[in-house]
Amino acid sequence: MDSETNTPRKESAENLVADRKEGIGVCGWILVSLSFLFVVLTFPFSIWACVKIIKEYERAVVFRLGRILPKKAKGPGLLLVLPCTDVFTKVDLRTVTWNIPPQEILTKDSVTTQVDGVVYYRICSAISSVANVSNVHLATYLLAQTTLRNVLGTQSLSQILSSREEIAHNIQTMLDSATHKWGIKVARVEIKDVRIPMEMQRAMAAEAEATREARAKVVAAEGEMNASKALKQASTVLVESPVALQLRYLQTLTTMATEKNSTIVFPLPISMVPGLYKNNGEKK
């Protein structure tokens, strides 16, 4: 769909001025003939004024007696212009980068912010960029500023911070639809930075900190609950097997011994104490 719709759009933009069928008239042809005769008579000196070089990334829009030559822009390579009757304008087809200065914007939720961005565009129709607008770069630059303000003014602060790519794509679409008559193709729009007041930053930081603390308390409570369940299951196993309790004592002693402690407290069941006293009395 895009290829089918873009082709007619490009053709209509390109032919907005250039598709007029009026000729230069009889007087015009007489002047052109005299100019060509002057070039022939002054050859080879006139060759320096008639031959122009157009670079690979440039195109030349030639005006003959004030009218754009039909069909398309000239170049790259050598270009022959007639003195006195022809005037040409060079157009650079390379991608242009414009920094959008910080724009003060009032968001949908009444927060004042400063947003800056960058726009990448190129000229796809040299004839339209020369004939349909006086300064195509300045027009695109100012339109990018106003479009940025208009689009961001309809968004809340949270949407601007979380949906930069989607907002940038919407701005690119709006710019591209508005500048196609000027022969401009907007390649990309990016939002560089969003600046918010210091008071709002502190409020957002406090809100985020409170949210993190609440989440940490919930995680700690869940950990305590899981630990209590594990202890309950372990106590059930130890009650069923007294030998397991003694093995646990030995494992605890082994762990304490590896830590190089000077004093080790060995837990001894109270039920064994009277038996030891009894045995000692018998020996005596």
Side-chain angles (χ1 to χ4, degrees), residues 5 12 55 65 71 86 103 140 147 180 189 245 272 274 279:
T5 55
S12 62
K55 297 179 181 178
L65 296 177
K71 296 183 181 179
D86 292 355
Q103 304 293 312
T140 305
T147 305
H180 76 275
V189 176
L245 181 61
M272 297 179 60
N279 295 332

Side-chain angles (χ1 to χ4, degrees), residues 1-278:
M1 293 297 294
D2 291 340
S3 60
E4 296 177 0
T5 55
N6 286 338
T7 302
R9 190 184 77 171
K10 181 179 178 182
E11 291 178 355
S12 62
E14 229 176 73
N15 298 329
L16 188 62
V17 175
D19 60 355
R20 298 174 182 175
K21 301 299 183 181
E22 298 91 343
I24 60 177
V26 178
C27 294
W29 283 112
I30 293 175
L31 292 175
V32 171
S33 301
L34 291 176
S35 179
F36 185 76
L37 180 61
F38 174 76
V39 171
V40 173
L41 295 177
T42 58
F43 187 83
F45 301 101
S46 60
I47 197 68
W48 302 106
C50 296
V51 176
K52 306 296 180 181
I53 297 177
I54 307 301
K55 297 179 181 178
E56 183 68 30
Y57 55 84
E58 294 178 337
R59 296 295 182 271
V61 180
V62 182
F63 293 85
R64 177 163 293 171
L65 296 177
R67 297 183 181 275
I68 297 178
L69 291 184
K71 296 183 181 179
K72 62 179 181 178
K74 309 299 181 181
L78 294 178
L79 174 65
L80 180 64
V81 295
L82 298 177
C84 304
T85 59
D86 292 355
V87 177
F88 75 98
T89 302
K90 288 184 180 180
V91 178
D92 196 332
L93 302 183
R94 291 177 294 182
T95 299
V96 180
T97 304
W98 276 102
N99 284 322
I100 303 176
Q103 304 293 312
E104 190 169 349
I105 299 168
L106 183 64
T107 62
K108 187 178 180 180
D109 50 354
S110 301
V111 178
T112 302
T113 61
Q114 286 188 347
V115 182
D116 59 351
V118 59
V119 57
Y120 303 88
Y121 67 91
R122 62 181 178 85
I123 297 177
C124 60
S125 174
I127 295 178
S128 299
S129 65
V130 173
N132 295 339
V133 61
S134 60
N135 191 334
V136 66
H137 297 290
L138 179 61
T140 305
Y141 177 63
L142 296 177
L143 183 61
Q145 293 185 29
T146 55
T147 305
L148 179 66
R149 287 197 299 266
N150 294 336
V151 172
L152 295 182
T154 60
Q155 306 290 328
S156 63
L157 180 60
S158 59
Q159 291 175 339
I160 294 175
L161 296 175
S162 61
S163 305
R164 289 191 181 186
E165 294 184 0
E166 183 179 356
I167 294 174
H169 180 71
N170 294 336
I171 296 174
Q172 175 187 346
T173 304
M174 296 179 64
L175 282 176
D176 194 30
S177 62
T179 58
H180 76 275
K181 293 182 180 180
W182 304 340
I184 293 294
K185 174 63 179 177
V186 179
R188 191 176 183 88
V189 176
E190 291 291 341
I191 297 176
K192 292 170 57 179
D193 191 15
V194 179
R195 301 183 182 91
I196 59 178
M198 187 61 64
E199 294 78 7
M200 182 60 65
Q201 293 182 16
R202 293 172 181 172
M204 294 175 64
E207 181 182 0
E209 185 177 358
T211 303
R212 287 194 297 268
E213 288 180 358
R215 190 180 299 113
K217 291 180 179 179
V218 171
V219 172
E222 291 179 353
E224 292 291 339
M225 182 180 63
N226 295 332
S228 61
K229 291 181 180 179
L231 290 174
K232 180 181 178 181
Q233 295 177 358
S235 62
T236 303
V237 174
L238 293 175
V239 168
E240 294 177 354
S241 178
V243 179
L245 181 61
Q246 299 297 329
L247 294 176
R248 183 59 182 166
Y249 286 160
L250 295 176
Q251 290 178 354
T252 304
L253 287 175
T254 304
T255 304
M256 295 174 63
T258 57
E259 296 178 357
K260 299 181 180 180
N261 293 323
S262 59
T263 302
I264 297 177
V265 179
F266 182 77
L268 186 65
I270 299 176
S271 59
M272 297 179 60
V273 176
L276 293 176
Y277 285 147
K278 184 179 181 180

